[in-house]
Amino acid sequence: MDYSKQLKVLAIGNSFSDDAMEHLYHIAESYGVEKITLGNLYIGGASLELHHINSLTDEYVYYYRKNTNGIWETTENVSLQAGIQDEAWDVFTVQQVSYLSGIVDSYQPQLHYLIKYIKELQRNSEAKIGWHMTWAYQEDSDHSEFYLYNQSQMQMYQGIIDAVKANIVQNPEIDFIIPAGSTIQNLRTSYLGDTITRDGFHLSFNIGRLAAGMTYFKSITGLSLEGISYMPEEV
């Protein structure tokens, strides 16, 4: 697939996929991608288990955010099936809800069933499936589930790494990994420090979202980030 010609990506996620994809259109446009179609099937706090349940019930409970011209437009009360079949997507991305992302045994069998559902419905038989690896919370985050990691950012990050190694790295159903969690953790070791989130867990509108978007673009396309000049207005 020549992603410099066309990029058609659908995320099945939650607010963390919303963060990571916010600037993706403009990043791809800045590179020179000719045709860009992005989608995000979004439920706040949605887990793999919830997405799997929705695949069984076909509930019309998603916000469907779509971007074909640089502007995100949102349709409410969309089903998982409708979003998957709206386009002949080249790429699907899936993820775990953030607070379970570092819990090794929270991924399966829901992930397997969700991927099976996607493959049954996809309009492009050559579509790839990527894993969106999310990020650990800010050290002083007040997220209600941070206790699962003893309020420790590093414990959460290591848990995410362990869960990805156990469930994703050797998984034949996953074509590639988007290591957004590692990108954010690396940024935290720079002069920026632990300032990449806006509320302790969602990414900052400027640097955080831009970094995750760049990681999305690079991981999906394999194209160089050199020469991409896009910069969000907030930076």
Side-chain angles (χ1 to χ4, degrees), residues 17-225:
S17 57
D18 203 44
D19 273 349
M21 294 189 76
E22 177 65 24
H23 298 303
L24 183 57
Y25 185 98
H26 295 295
I27 291 168
E29 181 182 47
S30 180
Y31 180 89
V33 179
E34 296 175 13
K35 183 177 180 181
I36 307 163
T37 304
L38 306 178
N40 183 20
L41 284 168
Y42 166 113
I43 299 175
S47 63
L48 286 170
E49 181 177 17
L50 181 58
H51 292 308
H52 170 50
I53 291 171
N54 289 338
S55 74
L56 300 175
T57 61
D58 201 34
E59 294 286 341
Y60 288 74
V61 291
Y62 286 85
Y63 290 93
Y64 180 37
R65 303 192 70 218
K66 192 172 183 180
N67 192 334
T68 60
N69 61 2
I71 300 172
W72 287 99
E73 298 181 353
T74 302
T75 304
E76 297 185 21
N77 303 317
V78 175
S79 69
L80 191 57
Q81 177 176 342
I84 292 172
Q85 295 191 317
D86 183 46
E87 297 276 353
W89 302 104
D90 298 319
V91 175
F92 295 91
T93 69
V94 293
Q95 66 190 72
Q96 179 58 294
V97 66
S98 62
Y99 65 85
L100 293 178
S101 60
I103 306 299
V104 171
D105 61 2
S106 73
Y107 285 49
Q108 298 288 8
Q110 296 91 339
L111 175 60
H112 168 72
Y113 291 131
L114 178 60
I115 292 174
K116 183 174 183 290
Y117 182 76
I118 292 169
K119 290 185 174 181
E120 288 172 351
L121 294 177
Q122 65 187 17
R123 291 169 51 191
N124 176 6
S125 62
E126 301 299 317
K128 304 295 185 182
I129 295 181
W131 178 259
H132 176 204
M133 171 191 163
T134 57
W135 46 90
Y137 299 156
Q138 192 164 302
E139 190 65 44
D140 60 357
S141 175
D142 61 0
H143 193 287
S144 61
E145 305 297 327
F146 200 18
Y147 75 90
L148 292 170
Y149 308 96
N150 297 311
Q151 311 296 134
S152 167
Q153 180 184 105
M154 287 310 300
Q155 183 174 327
M156 185 175 186
Y157 178 63
Q158 187 59 54
I160 293 169
I161 295 295
D162 292 343
V164 169
K165 286 181 178 178
N167 293 287
I168 306 300
V169 171
Q170 300 298 325
N171 189 330
E173 297 179 311
I174 300 292
D175 295 297
F176 61 91
I177 296 171
I178 302 169
S182 291
T183 296
I184 298 305
Q185 200 62 36
N186 288 339
L187 280 176
R188 286 167 168 157
T189 67
S190 74
Y191 73 93
L192 294 168
D194 200 12
T195 64
I196 314 299
T197 62
R198 62 185 187 270
D199 58 5
F201 43 99
H202 292 110
L203 293 180
S204 58
F205 291 121
N206 42 44
I207 294 174
R209 281 182 161 185
L210 180 62
M214 289 285 197
T215 306
Y216 240 82
F217 183 76
K218 178 65 175 179
S219 301
I220 290 172
T221 69
L223 299 172
S224 174
L225 299 180

